[in-house]
């Protein structure tokens, strides 16, 4: 049964009371309004409210939050360090160095207070007497408005507002200054000011300015130098120029006088400082050694891809994130690689006609020096300098100076950017910068770390990195991977391959393709080792056919060389790749077939020192301890997947050692250490290559024109590229132990006849590279076997000793005594094994 509730009673007394109260207030208001004083007071309050609303709408609305300055981080450049932790490059569009308040000398702080804001530590953000004076001056002057900004107001303008000149901005400055004073301490405000103020020469902050104007840090500055820096906020471009030295000294001396008036310096200090000249240094570079320009540019590209270029991309951007990047660049190897490649380019270029290949500058007016400086063209080779031909036997430089040009090629015209070298007092001679290009990479084969990159003659002439960006045909340097595929598909280093004419039908569209060796001839049946050592094209093509070209291209992909179609021409290096990829592939051979990723960056830290890349980076605690603590040494697990059979990789390396000992790179044999490598020469020839190294260091390079054309018939990998590697390796490996390449477990090393590939008993390999007997590497159950019958043993035992000695001497392998010992050992072993092995 539903219960029906009676409707609630609505009280009517509330509305009655409200109505009565309102009527009483209206009656009272009418009474007050009759008073003139009340009416005036009401108008005044209303006007103030309206004025406040208008003021807020015009000035205070949408102002930045002053609290943001508490967490403010200056845009700082990214600094790159080498493998030793030494900075060698920075990415910056502005000079910036951030310091803590305690790092600023007290005298320097006083100099800025004297010049900009003497009452900084006593006012609340606004200098009211100064503002009144400025308003009065600006009302009765037609000149640009004079400001009376405090340091706090300047911080507000520099960090939170625009740089416009108007009273509106001044009002906004004042509002923000009060807010900043409430949010930050005086020391925090002063730190922001001294770190952010623009002081000319692309310098922001006093530390950067001290380096730019005096080549010193702030803690090394003298009093007169500190006073000079304090005058720069007013007009940095004026006072920072040598032609305005008189005005700068006058302003500096005024600052010194203000410091004395505030008793921040003594009279003696004042007089001594005023007597000093400005002492400005000429415009300076970054202060870093010019090492690894191409390396640094490749690091920059990787960082931009990861973190972005400007602060809009995130907090770790390259040009404002303040990153500290530890790279793998070895400065010693970088210098050696740079010099070796440059010397090789110059050797090739020697005797060729001079060409204007550095650029042109308009020299029709007096602004040629500024235009030349903006081109940023420079040369860091020996004592060479980059200049611009001015005509009439004169050469000009980026700093505006001129000198006499001693002669010059007939092809040179006014405006050509040229390379010159000193040739007497204030006289220079023209030098030829090679038109041919090239790239070189040095890598650690155990972890993939890239130790050096040189992408051309000079990165300030051309920033195009030929070591990482140039797509070139590798030629014969790709052959080891063809033979590796053949080894994985049933062949051995002693397999016989015919070095003779070979043609293949490629289909109706491509027709018949016939291959040839570099010298056009053929040598008949030869071992795989011989074919690789002598770089025989026909043998390589036959090996690729036997192994299956699809398997060969699979190997190329697995070794990260390139993704090519299954055509035999790619077995001879017809596909495009880069020096970096090829060097990395050879490093994987040394790494026993385990995958490597070439890396230039070990780790990146943010401005507070936290490692932000790679994400799983962990420090190796105790790795650099001077003393062993008795605990187990750290061991790093092998990284990367196995992309090639380790024994196959070693077999290829072992055969490539023969390339050094008696093959196309025999010029490297005099280095007298375990080395492997391969030369390469592409059709034309348009490119010449060499890639190789030791168990601990792999390097590779190529030479060729940027727009491929014939280098000349005499140019080959063995005659042009290998000597460049030789120059590098002689110095880079001088202190390295002569460590042999280590064979992986399961490798069978067997004595074979070098020419026939047959197994040898009774003779041993010697030190002579031309020895008939060598050690050859085989996989289990693939080495040559023999079956010896008892009558053969008996017949061998009855041979005269003299005949045995004669045969031994004729073979030229070893001396007679060693052969006798070897034969006896073989006989004993065969007897124990029942005559079969």
């Amino acid at each position: 049964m539903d219960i029906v509730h009676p409707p609630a009673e609505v009280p009517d007394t509330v509305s009655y009371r409200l109505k009565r109260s309102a009527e009483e207030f209206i009656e009272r208001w009418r009474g007050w309004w009759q008073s003139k004083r009340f009416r005036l007071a009401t108008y005044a309050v209303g006007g103030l409210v309206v004025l406040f609303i208008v003021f807020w709408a015009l000035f205070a609305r949408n102002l930045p939050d002053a609290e943001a300055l508490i967490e403010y981080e200056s845009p700082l450049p990214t600094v790159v360090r080498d493998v030793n932790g030494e900075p060698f490059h920075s990415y910056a569009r502005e000079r910036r160095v951030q310091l803590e308040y305690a790092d600023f000398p007290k005298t320097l702080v006083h100099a800025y207070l004297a010049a900009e804001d003497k009452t900084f530590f006593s006012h609340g953000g606004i200098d009211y007497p100064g503002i009144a004076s400025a308003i009065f001056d600006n009302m009765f002057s037609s000149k640009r408005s004079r400001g009376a900004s405090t340091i706090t107001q300047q911080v507000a303008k520099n960090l939170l507002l625009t740089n416009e000149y108007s009273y509106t901005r001044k009002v906004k400055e004042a509002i923000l200054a009060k807010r900043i004073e409430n949010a930050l301490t005086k020391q925090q405000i002063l730190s922001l000011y001294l770190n952010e103020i623009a002081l000319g020469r692309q310098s922001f902050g006093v530390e950067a300015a001290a380096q730019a104007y005096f080549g010193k840090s702030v803690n090394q500055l003298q009093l007169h130098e500190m006073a000079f820096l304090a005058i720069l906020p007013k007009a940095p471009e004026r006072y920072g120029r040598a032609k305005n030295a008189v005005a700068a000294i006058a302003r500096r001396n005024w600052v010194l006088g203000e410091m004395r008036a505030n008793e921040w310096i003594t009279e003696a200090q004042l007089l001594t400082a005023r007597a000093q000249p400005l002492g400005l240094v000429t415009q300076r570079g970054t202060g870093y050694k010019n090492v690894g320009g191409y390396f640094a540019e490749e690091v920059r590209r990787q960082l931009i891809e990861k973190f972005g270029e400007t602060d809009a991309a995130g907090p770790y951007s390259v040009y404002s994130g303040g990153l500290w990047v530890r790279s793998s660049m070895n400065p010693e190897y970088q210098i050696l690689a740079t010099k070796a490649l440059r010397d090789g380019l110059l050797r090739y270029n020697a005797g060729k006609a001079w060409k204007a290949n550095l650029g042109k500058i308009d020299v029709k007016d007096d602004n040629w020096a500024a235009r030349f400086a903006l081109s940023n063209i420079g040369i860091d080779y020996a004592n060479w300098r980059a200049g611009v031909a001015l005509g009439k036997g004169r050469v000009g430089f980026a700093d505006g100076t001129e000198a006499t040009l001693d002669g010059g090629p007939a092809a040179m015209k006014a405006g050509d950017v040229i390379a010159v070298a000193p040739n007497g007092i204030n006289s220079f001679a023209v030098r030829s910068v090679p038109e041919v290009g090239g790239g070189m990479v040095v890598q650690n084969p155990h972890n993939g770390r890239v130790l050096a990159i040189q992408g051309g003659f000079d990165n300030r002439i051309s920033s195009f990195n030929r070591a990482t960006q140039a797509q070139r045909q590798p030629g014969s340097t790709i052959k080891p991977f063809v033979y590796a595929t053949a080894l994985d598909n049933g062949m051995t280093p002693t397999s016989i391959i015919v070095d003779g004419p070979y043609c293949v039908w490629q289909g109706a569209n491509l027709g018949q393709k016939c291959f040839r060796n570099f010298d056009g001839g053929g040598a008949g049946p030869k071992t795989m080792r011989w074919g690789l050592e002598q770089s025989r094209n026909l043998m390589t093509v036959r090996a690729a056919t036997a192994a299956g070209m699809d398997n060969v291209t699979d190997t190329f992909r697995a070794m990260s060389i390139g993704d090519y179609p299954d055509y035999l021409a790619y077995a001879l290096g017809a596909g495009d790749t880069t020096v970096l990829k090829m060097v990395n592939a050879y490093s994987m051979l040394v790494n026993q077939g385990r995958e490597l990723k070439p890396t230039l960056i070990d780790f990146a830290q943010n401005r507070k020192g936290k490692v932000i890349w790679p994400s799983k980076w962990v420090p190796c605690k105790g790795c650099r301890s001077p003393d062993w603590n008795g605990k187990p040494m750290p061991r790093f697990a092998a990284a990367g997947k196995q992309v090639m059979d380790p024994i196959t990789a070693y077999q290829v390396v072992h055969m490539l050692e023969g390339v050094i000992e008696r093959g196309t790179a025999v010029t490297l044999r005099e280095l007298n250490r375990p080395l492997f490598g391969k030369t390469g020469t592409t059709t034309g020839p348009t490119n010449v290559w060499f890639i190789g190294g030791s168990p601990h260091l792999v390097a590779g390079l190529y030479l060729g024109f940027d727009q491929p054309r014939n280098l000349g018939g005499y140019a080959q990998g063995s005659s042009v590229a290998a000597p460049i590697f030789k120059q590098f390796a002689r110095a880079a490996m001088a202190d390295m132990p002569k460590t042999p390449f280590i064979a992986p477990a399961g490798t069978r090393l067997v004595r074979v006849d070098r020419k026939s590939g047959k197994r040898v008993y009774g003779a041993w390999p010697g030190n002579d590279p031309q020895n008939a007997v060598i050690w050859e590497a085989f996989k289990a159950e693939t080495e040559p076997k023999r079956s010896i019958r008892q009558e053969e043993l008996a017949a061998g035992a009855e041979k005269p000793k003299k005949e045995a000695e004669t045969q031994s001497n004729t073979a030229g392998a070893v001396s007679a005594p060693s052969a006798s010992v070897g034969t006896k050992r073989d006989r004993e072993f065969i007897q124990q094994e029942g005559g079969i092995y």
Side-chain angles (χ1 to χ4, degrees), residues 438-506:
M440 185 171 184
V441 172
V442 182
Q443 187 178 28
N444 184 324
H446 302 301
N447 50 35
R449 297 171 74 209
V450 177
L451 306 177
I453 290 178
Q454 185 65 18
F457 191 82
D458 197 309
N459 66 296
R460 289 175 297 173
I461 294 175
S462 171
S463 61
F464 180 64
N465 193 335
R466 295 157 188 83
T468 61
Q469 295 176 295
Q471 297 288 332
R472 314 295 291 201
Q473 292 183 352
S476 296
T477 58
I478 209 168
K479 290 178 181 177
F481 305 97
V482 177
Y483 288 115
T485 309
L487 292 171
D488 279 337
N489 286 272
M491 288 190 177
T492 72
T494 58
S495 293
I496 300 299
I497 305 173
V498 177
D499 182 34
Y502 186 76
C503 297
V504 61
W505 177 257
Q506 299 184 111

Side-chain angles (χ1 to χ4, degrees), residues 111-147:
Y112 274 91
L113 295 181
E116 297 292 323
D117 192 355
K118 292 186 287 291
T119 61
F120 172 75
F121 281 101
S122 60
H123 64 62
I126 302 174
D127 181 11
Y128 294 105
I131 292 177
S133 176
I135 292 175
F136 180 82
D137 289 347
N138 294 332
M139 288 178 63
F140 297 97
S141 174
S142 60
K143 298 180 181 180
R144 174 176 143 178
S145 60
R146 181 175 73 86

Side-chain angles (χ1 to χ4, degrees), residues 94 102 553:
E94 302 166 345
T553 54

Side-chain angles (χ1 to χ4, degrees), residues 82-84 291-293 295 328-342 440-447 449-454 673 694-700 724-725 727-737:
D82 61 27
V83 71
N84 301 317
V291 176
F295 194 106
S328 57
M329 196 270 283
N330 184 308
E332 178 185 354
Y333 293 161
Q334 182 63 59
I335 292 171
L336 294 175
T338 300
K339 188 176 188 310
L341 183 62
R342 284 176 171 174
M440 185 171 184
V441 172
V442 182
Q443 187 178 28
N444 184 324
H446 302 301
N447 50 35
R449 297 171 74 209
V450 177
L451 306 177
I453 290 178
Q454 185 65 18
R673 64 169 51 250
S694 71
H696 304 296
L697 197 67
V698 174
I724 297 175
F725 174 87
Q727 178 180 339
F728 166 79
R730 179 182 285 113
M733 300 180 182
D735 298 327
M736 285 186 180

